[in-house]
Amino acid sequence: MPIQTPYRNFVASFSSEDHLRQSLRVLFSRIPGVRGVDITHGGQELGKDLVFYAPNFFGKMELYACVVKHTKIDGTVSKSGAREVLTQALQSFDSPYTNTEGQEDFVTKVFIISPHDCPPSTMNSIKGALRTRAGHVQFLCGQLLMDEFVNHWQDFLLFKSSALNTYVASL
């Protein structure tokens, strides 16, 4: 039996991709300044599983999109491969989001999210394609994602996963 770590429990706490999207909706809603968090996954998502508005450096609200994967993103060309995920991210930039006032907004940054860590082979498989969108596509995977839950929604780790309990027990 493998040793349970807080990170492994965190990964296992998401029962499905829908559960992960719902959890991310709550997480982003808890971040100061974030507004309009919306799950857009479905037939008309156009690469965007989730969107939200957040202030940029100058305080102007900008639209951010997320490509969400429940599985590990690898360096292959499969459905959960880095190339497919990058294609979704690029589609997010091309297709505007219609906000609640009926106006179209364009995405300024895309987060590619998975509870699993992304190995170096994942990044290496798409590093050339990422150059065209340098700074506009960011991976929020594995431990980095768990850190956001620690910073903004500790109750999730306490009550919805046994990650924190495992961590405390290991001390």
Side-chain angles (χ1 to χ4, degrees):
M1 182 173 171
I3 297 172
Q4 291 300 311
T5 64
Y7 171 69
R8 284 187 184 172
N9 285 335
F10 172 73
V11 170
S13 66
F14 302 104
S15 59
S16 66
E17 195 164 293
D18 183 56
H19 181 231
L20 175 58
R21 282 191 299 270
Q22 294 292 337
S23 299
L24 289 169
R25 182 184 56 76
V26 174
L27 172 68
F28 292 138
S29 296
R30 292 171 167 266
I31 298 174
V34 171
R35 303 281 180 264
V37 182
D38 187 20
I39 295 175
T40 52
H41 177 75
Q44 296 297 312
E45 74 181 49
L46 302 171
K48 301 176 256 322
D49 290 317
L50 190 139
V51 296
F52 62 90
Y53 291 88
N56 65 13
F57 180 76
F58 300 105
K60 181 178 182 257
M61 296 302 273
E62 292 186 343
L63 180 64
Y64 296 82
C66 302
V67 175
V68 180
K69 294 295 177 194
H70 183 249
T71 57
K72 187 172 200 158
I73 302 169
D74 57 29
T76 67
V77 190
S78 68
K79 187 175 180 177
S80 61
R83 287 276 173 189
E84 174 64 26
V85 171
L86 182 61
T87 298
Q88 282 183 267
L90 296 177
Q91 185 182 21
S92 294
F93 291 113
D94 296 340
S95 308
Y97 167 73
T98 305
N99 66 27
T100 57
E101 297 170 2
Q103 299 174 349
E104 292 183 335
D105 291 324
F106 283 90
V107 169
T108 57
K109 187 169 191 166
V110 175
F111 292 96
I112 298 173
I113 300 174
S114 171
H116 300 272
D117 279 322
C118 290
S121 61
T122 300
M123 300 303 170
N124 288 336
S125 71
I126 58 171
K127 68 181 175 185
L130 282 174
R131 282 190 197 117
T132 61
R133 289 290 184 174
H136 296 279
V137 176
Q138 182 176 338
F139 282 78
L140 185 58
C141 298
Q143 187 65 50
L144 293 174
L145 180 60
M146 185 174 161
D147 291 346
E148 292 306 316
F149 277 86
V150 168
N151 291 332
H152 300 289
W153 191 15
Q154 290 180 355
D155 290 352
F156 176 86
L157 297 175
L158 282 170
F159 302 112
K160 307 231 183 205
S161 88
S162 55
L164 194 59
N165 294 336
T166 304
Y167 175 74
V168 171
S170 70
L171 295 176

